[in-house]
Amino acid sequence: MPDFLSKPLAVAGRGTIGALGSVGRAWTLFAASAGATRHFAIWGPHLFPQMARVGVASVPIALFIATFTGIVMSLQASYTLTGTIPLYFVGTLVGKTMILELGPVLTGLTLAGRVGANISAELGTMRVTEQVDALETLAYDPLAYLVVPRVLAGILMFPIVVLLAVAIGIVSGWFTALQLLDMSTPEFVKGLRLFFEPWDVWFAVIKSVSFGAVVTGVGCFYGLQTERGAEGVGKSATQTVVIASMIILCLDAFWAATLL
């Protein structure tokens, strides 16, 4: 086979084999981490500090993004609906969009950069400086000590951060409608309640739980796979953000297709 055909095929083959190998190693890591949850004495004391780092410390950036998302959604909705649909549908569009889509997804993508990269860099540094090996020497289960509290913190705190972001996004959209669109509060609330379903909130919670598991899990995986010193730490952090963001978007489509 000519070189101009064989080389691309070889590159694609190596990439496919490498990707499948990474998936296999990831499932092995996550299965072992699930088994490590029985060591509560190891991961229990670290859960609340990790919840503070993953969740509480992420609130400001999540609320900042949600605020301006709500403002933009309100303005764009009024522009789109001008002259065709009653203006109170601005509340409908802002509420539905923030709850079902923009609130969970934008928050998940933001925290993939903030939380995922942080976890990957932290664990990657521990790996290349042999601190992970030291834990094994001291008879500590590294997965129970490093992975379990971070993943559980992501699962528990992501829904809280997402719900706060959704609430702030809707409030900022309401305030924008009052100040810039000549709408009244009853009009905005009428649109907000028009197509609201309690299931919408549960849908956002389900998505955010899966996003939390993905962001923290991918960060832990690439952090523990780090090699080659500082260069490897940077590469692991970059891979974490890219892969976690891709999985979040795939999960977003999956949950929409299966639950809506």
Side-chain angles (χ1 to χ4, degrees):
M1 182 179 295
D3 286 345
F4 71 90
L5 292 177
S6 61
K7 288 183 178 180
L9 291 176
V11 172
R14 287 194 295 269
T16 302
I17 293 173
L20 292 175
S22 296
V23 171
R25 291 191 298 272
W27 280 113
T28 301
L29 174 68
F30 299 148
S33 299
T37 55
R38 67 181 183 274
H39 301 304
F40 178 79
I42 296 178
W43 61 263
H46 303 282
L47 179 59
F48 286 104
Q50 289 300 326
M51 289 172 66
R53 294 180 62 186
V54 170
V56 177
S58 301
V59 168
I61 183 63
L63 298 190
F64 177 83
I65 291 175
T67 298
F68 285 92
T69 301
I71 293 172
V72 172
M73 283 301 305
S74 186
L75 294 174
Q76 289 186 346
S78 68
Y79 171 77
T80 303
L81 302 178
T82 299
T84 57
I85 299 176
L87 199 57
Y88 62 78
F89 272 88
V90 170
T92 302
L93 188 58
V94 170
K96 278 288 188 179
T97 306
M98 286 300 303
I99 296 172
L100 294 178
E101 184 64 22
L102 292 184
V105 173
L106 287 182
T107 303
L109 293 175
T110 301
L111 298 192
R114 187 202 171 278
V115 175
N118 179 272
I119 291 175
S120 180
E122 182 181 17
L123 298 190
T125 302
M126 295 181 69
R127 169 62 75 183
V128 299
T129 56
E130 300 182 350
Q131 295 180 54
V132 177
D133 298 328
L135 289 173
E136 295 176 345
T137 303
L138 296 172
Y140 273 84
D141 184 350
L143 298 182
Y145 189 84
L146 300 174
V147 176
V148 173
R150 287 170 170 80
V151 174
L152 288 180
I155 292 173
L156 294 173
M157 295 305 295
F158 264 56
I160 297 174
V161 177
V162 165
L163 291 178
L164 287 173
V166 168
I168 291 298
I170 293 174
V171 169
S172 65
W174 160 75
F175 186 78
T176 302
L178 291 184
Q179 300 300 320
L180 301 180
L181 305 181
D182 197 26
M183 286 182 64
S184 65
T185 297
E187 284 181 309
F188 187 88
V189 173
K190 177 183 179 180
L192 187 62
R193 298 177 60 184
L194 189 59
F195 294 107
F196 174 78
E197 297 288 343
W199 167 249
D200 295 345
V201 178
W202 284 110
F203 179 73
V205 169
I206 291 170
K207 289 209 298 187
S208 58
V209 167
S210 65
F211 295 168
V214 164
V215 169
T216 52
V218 171
C220 290
F221 172 73
Y222 280 106
L224 293 176
Q225 299 292 315
T226 301
E227 299 175 346
R228 299 191 303 274
E231 178 184 357
V233 173
K235 182 179 179 180
S236 295
T238 302
Q239 287 179 317
T240 295
V241 176
V242 173
I243 299 300
S245 299
M246 293 172 62
I247 296 176
I248 283 173
L249 295 176
C250 292
L251 281 175
D252 182 43
F254 171 78
W255 290 125
T258 56
L259 297 181
L260 294 182

